[in-house]
Amino acid sequence: MYPNKNYENDIKYTIQLNRFIFRLLGIWPESEPSFFENLKRILLILGCYFLLASELIPTILHIILVEKRARVRLKLISSVMFTVLAVLKYSSLVLSKNQVGDCLTRVKDDWRNVVSANARNSMIEKARTARRLLILCGIFMYISGLYFRTIVPLSKGKSVTDQNITIRHLPCPSYFVFFNGQISPGYEIMFFIQFFSGFIKYTITVAICSLAALFAMHICAQLEILMMLIDNLIDETEEKNLNGRLAVTVEHQIKMRNFIRLVQNTLEHTSLLEVMGCTIIVCLLGHDIITEWEDQNVISMCSYLILLTSIGFNIFIFCYIGEQLSLEGEKLALIVCTFAWYRLPNEKARALILVIAMSIVPMKLRAGKFFDLSIRTFGDVVKTAVTYLNIIRKMME
């Protein structure tokens, strides 16, 4: 076994950004949290739900009680859908915190028990890829959110109705039952509440994406390590060492398979919500872009276009990591079916039958056990969104 003396730094490098994102939401699984840490976590969770509800409920009331125009209602529905989706995803993360902790424990154990220097380099490379995906997702989500939450409402300025009432625009149009949201300081308070509510929604999306990228890339690294172990079996001539390497290979494969099942159970609901919910939102945002284009509202059209790009990119990341996992599984299946097993003693070669049988089983991540995450799925999502967009356009004509 390779003594990984830098495993603490490796673990820190792997989960550093994920821990920062999850701690903002109060859902990072701590090993032995103190009383104050538990209190802080509960307050953060309640605060996130409060911010999300402070945007969701007034917007729904505005759609039901105030707004009567069908086209404007349809625009607001996309915002409501995104908020509802954020609430569901956040609740799923809160409920699956222990499962996430188990997955992170497996990741840390793998870093402590690296089998060789080449294996460590492979794990570092995949960890670097996961960090890059997290950063890209964060850049897209936060830039689009900042633009939509600040530049768009502030660029509209103030408008005066026929009843000589001055209207100041919020990021999300809202109806407040107990106070007037147009009078200071109510307007300023609700503006900042909606701004931070948006920040929470984007952080939830980035957190889920970062978690999926971390675990999927770690599995890809473990698959590459398994390929190295299988190749090394042929190079060993002494029977004693061969028995040891064979035992390490089998143990590594079993641990990897168990980890894949644990990751699948942890991410299946959030990935399903992400893909299906974002498909509907992409469809609605496409309609909003066409509507703003017809109205020649450049600023709003750009905001919807940026949001569409960021959400579409987020779906692509999920499908991309699923595709990478499938490709690594195919490589493993090819290696175990073509390596020179005949150079081993007969009884040792027979011992590899189960290893080969398990290796040729496809490695896939599934969204809620309904469909695989792959590039083909991303194409299906785009086609489905365009189809429903055409249906909405026909209904609104």
Side-chain angles (χ1 to χ4, degrees):
M1 190 69 66
Y2 172 75
N4 186 12
K5 299 179 181 179
N6 298 318
Y7 77 90
E8 292 183 353
N9 293 329
D10 292 339
I11 293 173
K12 182 179 179 180
Y13 176 79
T14 303
I15 67 175
Q16 184 179 30
L17 296 180
N18 303 81
R19 181 172 57 228
F20 176 75
I21 295 294
F22 272 73
R23 280 183 172 176
L24 291 176
L25 301 173
I27 52 177
W28 180 255
E30 302 287 351
S31 56
E32 295 180 358
S34 63
F35 172 78
F36 292 103
E37 289 175 344
N38 280 327
L39 180 62
K40 178 183 176 181
R41 180 178 61 84
I42 293 173
L43 292 177
L44 282 172
I45 293 175
L46 293 177
C48 290
Y49 277 118
F50 171 77
L51 290 172
L52 293 172
S54 297
E55 177 182 326
L56 178 62
I57 296 174
T59 304
I60 293 176
L61 292 177
H62 180 83
I63 295 174
I64 297 174
L65 302 176
V66 178
E67 189 57 61
K68 303 302 180 182
R69 295 168 293 178
R71 292 178 64 178
V72 179
R73 278 184 170 182
L74 192 60
K75 290 180 184 179
L76 296 177
I77 286 175
S78 61
S79 177
V80 171
M81 281 288 300
F82 192 65
T83 307
V84 171
L85 189 63
V87 173
L88 294 175
K89 291 187 295 185
Y90 186 58
S91 300
S92 179
L93 287 175
V94 172
L95 294 176
S96 61
K97 184 171 71 71
N98 292 332
Q99 290 177 301
V100 173
D102 293 338
C103 292
L104 291 172
T105 300
R106 299 287 185 91
V107 171
K108 294 176 182 178
D109 289 340
D110 289 337
W111 277 110
R112 293 189 186 96
N113 302 313
V114 176
V115 295
S116 65
N118 290 334
R120 178 177 178 270
N121 293 333
S122 177
M123 292 173 66
I124 290 177
E125 182 62 30
K126 296 302 181 182
R128 187 178 294 114
T129 301
R131 285 170 64 96
R132 289 170 180 171
L133 291 174
L134 187 158
I135 292 171
L136 284 175
C137 180
I139 289 174
F140 273 92
M141 292 304 301
Y142 288 125
I143 289 179
S144 63
L146 179 64
Y147 184 86
F148 184 77
R149 296 275 159 170
T150 56
I151 296 177
V152 173
L154 294 177
S155 65
K156 294 179 180 179
K158 299 179 181 179
S159 59
V160 181
T161 64
D162 297 335
Q163 293 78 24
N164 199 26
I165 299 175
T166 301
I167 301 297
R168 294 188 290 178
H169 299 278
L170 289 169
C172 294
S174 305
Y175 175 74
F176 307 104
V177 179
F178 301 106
F179 65 94
N180 188 349
Q182 294 296 319
I183 301 175
S184 297
Y187 171 80
E188 288 77 10
I189 293 174
M190 292 311 304
F191 189 94
F192 282 103
I193 285 179
Q194 290 192 0
F195 176 83
F196 286 109
S197 174
F199 176 79
I200 294 299
K201 290 191 290 185
Y202 306 134
T203 304
I204 291 170
T205 302
V206 174
I208 293 176
C209 179
S210 68
L211 199 66
L214 170 64
F215 294 153
M217 290 299 103
H218 185 75
I219 294 172
C220 290
Q222 298 307 305
L223 286 170
E224 291 186 355
I225 294 173
L226 182 59
M227 297 178 204
M228 297 177 191
L229 293 174
I230 293 175
D231 285 336
N232 291 337
L233 290 175
I234 307 302
D235 300 330
E236 187 56 62
T237 57
E238 295 185 10
E239 184 174 357
K240 181 178 180 181
N241 294 336
L242 181 60
N243 290 335
R245 289 194 177 187
L246 184 59
V248 171
T249 303
V250 173
E251 183 181 4
H252 184 86
Q253 188 178 45
I254 293 173
K255 288 182 178 179
M256 184 191 64
R257 284 284 177 177
N258 292 335
F259 182 65
I260 291 175
R261 283 194 292 268
L262 181 59
V263 170
Q264 176 64 45
N265 294 332
T266 303
L267 297 178
E268 61 179 356
H269 297 110
T270 53
S271 59
L272 179 65
L273 289 171
E274 190 71 34
V275 175
M276 294 190 66
C278 288
T279 301
I280 300 174
I281 294 173
V282 165
C283 171
L284 295 174
L285 287 176
H287 178 268
D288 295 340
I289 291 172
I290 296 174
T291 303
E292 297 297 344
W293 174 270
E294 294 173 348
D295 296 339
Q296 297 182 352
N297 192 340
V298 178
I299 295 179
S300 295
M301 185 188 68
C302 290
S303 68
Y304 289 124
L305 184 61
I306 294 173
L307 285 173
L308 176 65
T309 304
S310 62
I311 293 175
F313 181 76
N314 192 53
I315 301 175
F316 176 78
I317 288 180
F318 268 85
C319 296
Y320 171 79
I321 60 179
E323 183 75 14
Q324 292 300 305
L325 182 59
S326 297
L327 291 176
E328 292 293 336
E330 292 174 2
K331 290 180 183 178
L332 175 63
L334 180 62
I335 286 178
V336 297
C337 291
T338 58
F339 84 110
W341 55 268
Y342 50 83
R343 294 171 53 185
L344 298 175
N346 290 337
E347 59 180 18
K348 304 304 177 185
R350 286 195 296 269
L352 288 174
I353 293 177
L354 292 179
V355 175
I356 296 173
M358 292 178 64
S359 299
I360 62 178
V361 176
M363 299 281 185
K364 294 182 179 180
L365 285 179
R366 301 179 63 84
K369 299 179 181 178
F370 289 103
F371 48 86
D372 300 331
L373 293 176
S374 63
I375 299 299
R376 183 177 180 179
T377 301
F378 178 74
D380 293 337
V381 167
V382 174
K383 289 187 289 186
T384 303
V386 173
T387 300
Y388 283 105
L389 172 60
N390 291 329
I391 294 175
I392 293 175
R393 291 287 295 171
K394 292 295 183 180
M395 292 176 60
M396 296 300 294
E397 289 179 354

